Amino acid sequence: MNDSLFKISKFDSLFNEKEIELKNALREEKISEIKVAELKKEIEVYLKSILELKEKVKKLEEINKKLDYITRLENWLNKKFVPVINFLEKNVMASLKGEFSRLFSNWFQTLVSDNFVVRLTDDFTPIIEQQDYELDYAYLSGGERTAIALAYRLALNQVINSLMSKIKTRELVILDEPTDGFSDQQLDKMRGVLEQLKVKQLIIVSHEQKIESFVEKVIRFKKNYGISEKE
């Protein structure tokens, strides 16, 4: 009987030990499962980061290709295209200035006496000379100043029309007070200037009554309490 009790006690003690071991094993298994889950989560995060990095690398490679293309294009522009454009621009501007200066001089000589010589600088500034001396614009008479301004505008109009063949206003010229300060002789010359323009429509805003005989239709305006009204 005592032997049986001893054996039962021994097995009971062994059972308790194994139960404790089992519990410890289960706890460790649970901990391991948690660690495995955490590791899987970390792996997912790392894989996602790797994919994002691959996308960034791909984009950076594309950007690098574009930068390389832009760099090569910039080098080509600076070394080949820009010099050609500068050469063409220089020649075109020289030709343009020559034509502009010629037209400007022709119109001016039509309006004033032959005592003056006019030309343009490289920046298209009018230069007036008399007997090889350059004249200051401030020392010119009112009529001479108006003649310079008018000649410049007419020459500019012709040059622009020659460059831009499809311009919609090439057959229209509007002149605002083109004869301000003109002498009677200059007014008489103005008729010839207007005839030389050869445009379909010419609009002149002027207070000079003599101009009325140069045009086909006259529209008069009057001031009424500071407001311009058609008569």
Side-chain angles (χ1 to χ4, degrees):
M1 184 68 177
N2 289 332
D3 289 339
S4 297
L5 290 173
F6 175 76
K7 288 180 179 179
I8 291 171
S9 176
K10 183 179 178 181
F11 282 116
D12 187 54
S13 176
L14 182 62
F15 175 79
N16 289 334
E17 288 178 5
K18 296 301 179 182
E19 186 178 25
I20 291 172
E21 289 178 1
L22 178 61
K23 288 181 179 180
N24 290 335
L26 290 172
R27 185 171 60 253
E28 289 179 0
E29 183 183 17
K30 188 67 175 178
I31 293 171
S32 297
E33 288 177 354
I34 293 172
K35 288 183 177 180
V36 168
E38 290 176 348
L39 288 172
K40 286 183 178 180
K41 189 67 177 178
E42 288 181 6
I43 290 171
E44 288 179 3
V45 172
Y46 288 141
L47 288 174
K48 186 178 180 180
S49 298
I50 290 171
L51 290 175
E52 290 176 352
L53 288 172
K54 285 183 177 180
E55 286 296 321
K56 288 182 179 180
V57 169
K58 185 178 179 181
K59 289 181 179 179
L60 288 173
E61 288 176 347
E62 291 175 356
I63 292 172
N64 188 52
K65 288 180 181 179
K66 290 180 180 179
L67 285 174
D68 181 63
Y69 170 75
I70 291 172
T71 300
R72 287 187 284 107
L73 180 60
E74 183 181 16
N75 289 334
W76 179 81
L77 288 172
N78 290 332
K79 293 180 180 179
K80 295 184 178 181
F81 184 74
V82 172
V84 171
I85 293 299
N86 289 337
F87 175 78
L88 292 174
E89 182 181 13
K90 183 178 179 180
N91 283 274
V92 169
M93 290 302 290
S95 175
L96 182 64
K97 194 200 89 171
E99 180 65 9
F100 195 168
S101 186
R102 183 186 67 80
L103 292 170
F104 173 55
S105 178
N106 288 345
W107 285 118
F108 185 77
Q109 295 300 331
T110 302
L111 292 167
V112 298
S113 65
D114 295 332
N115 294 330
F116 293 99
V117 175
V118 294
R119 57 184 175 84
L120 298 175
T121 63
D122 290 338
D123 62 353
F124 294 86
T125 300
I127 298 295
I128 304 96
E129 295 177 345
Q130 188 175 38
Q131 297 179 352
D132 297 328
Y133 288 97
E134 187 175 318
L135 300 178
D136 192 307
Y137 187 78
Y139 291 101
L140 298 176
S141 67
E144 290 165 348
R145 294 180 190 179
T146 301
I148 289 173
L150 178 59
Y152 196 94
R153 282 184 289 173
L154 294 177
L156 179 61
N157 179 70
Q158 284 183 284
V159 169
I160 291 176
N161 286 340
S162 66
L163 289 175
M164 304 173 66
S165 59
K166 294 183 179 180
I167 190 169
K168 295 181 179 180
T169 57
R170 61 185 296 110
E171 294 296 338
L172 170 66
V173 173
I174 301 175
L175 300 176
D176 184 14
E177 298 291 353
T179 60
D180 185 35
F182 271 18
S183 64
D184 289 337
Q185 185 181 8
Q186 285 177 305
L187 286 172
D188 291 335
K189 291 181 178 181
M190 191 64 187
R191 182 191 293 273
V193 169
L194 298 180
E195 291 175 352
Q196 290 181 52
L197 290 178
K198 296 179 181 179
V199 292
K200 291 182 178 180
Q201 187 168 30
L202 173 64
I203 299 174
I204 303 174
V205 180
S206 177
H207 290 84
E208 179 58 55
Q209 290 185 348
K210 197 170 186 178
I211 291 292
E212 294 181 10
S213 63
F214 301 167
V215 298
E216 296 176 355
K217 185 176 181 180
V218 177
I219 302 175
R220 292 184 174 84
F221 291 87
K222 64 178 180 180
K223 286 278 188 179
N224 188 11
Y225 298 103
I227 299 175
S228 296
E229 296 179 347
K230 183 179 177 182
E231 291 185 357

